[in-house]
Amino acid sequence: MKEQLILKIGKYRLNLSTLVFLLGITGILLIGLSSWLPEGTRKEDPGLQEADARAYADGLEERLTAILQEIDGVGKARVMVTLENGYQKVYARSEKTNNDLLEDVRAGDEKKTQEKQVTEQTYVLVDGAGGKVPLVTAQLEPEVKGVVVVCEGGGDPLVAGKVVDTVRVALNISSARVSVSRLAAGGG
């Protein structure tokens, strides 16, 4: 007689082949149910992007403050940089163009030509952590909206002009986006 291995779980008794069968069915059901679960796609957290942009602005402020305080006549300075937007990503695109040329020749050497051009653009997708994601080709830094400089020498037009020129060149922005003011007595 064939010997069977019986497993006792609580008050239930199962032979080994029944247990393996039940575990197999459970695994199949879990795989089937996994398609109904939400995908774990990672979306860019707007709060994280905002924090990155703020860190970028803080870095610009520190570097500008350090360089401006080295200019003769500026003295102690405080700088505030505002940004137009956050980091922007540039995605790779694939472009397919179809040109159709239709010529209609009629009696009397009358010729009618019609051209049709259709362009189709799609993003290039690559395998990512949560499935297919667009391929990023570049990440653009935030655009500077404006700069405010408050410094001890801000009341002197020559010093203010040097400050505006320095900020304009350093950030590649127009002088209309730079404001320079004198630091209040005891301000700091």
Side-chain angles (χ1 to χ4, degrees), residues 144-165:
V144 175
K145 186 183 215 177
V147 178
V148 176
V149 179
V150 181
C151 60
E152 291 174 343
D156 182 354
L158 292 174
V159 172
K162 288 179 191 178
V163 169
V164 168
D165 285 343

Side-chain angles (χ1 to χ4, degrees), residues 84-103:
E84 191 77 37
N85 49 30
Y87 284 97
Q88 295 179 345
K89 292 183 180 180
V90 178
Y91 299 104
R93 291 186 296 189
S94 172
E95 187 173 294
K96 187 167 101 175
T97 304
N98 290 330
N99 290 323
D100 292 332
L101 185 63
L102 179 65
E103 287 186 2

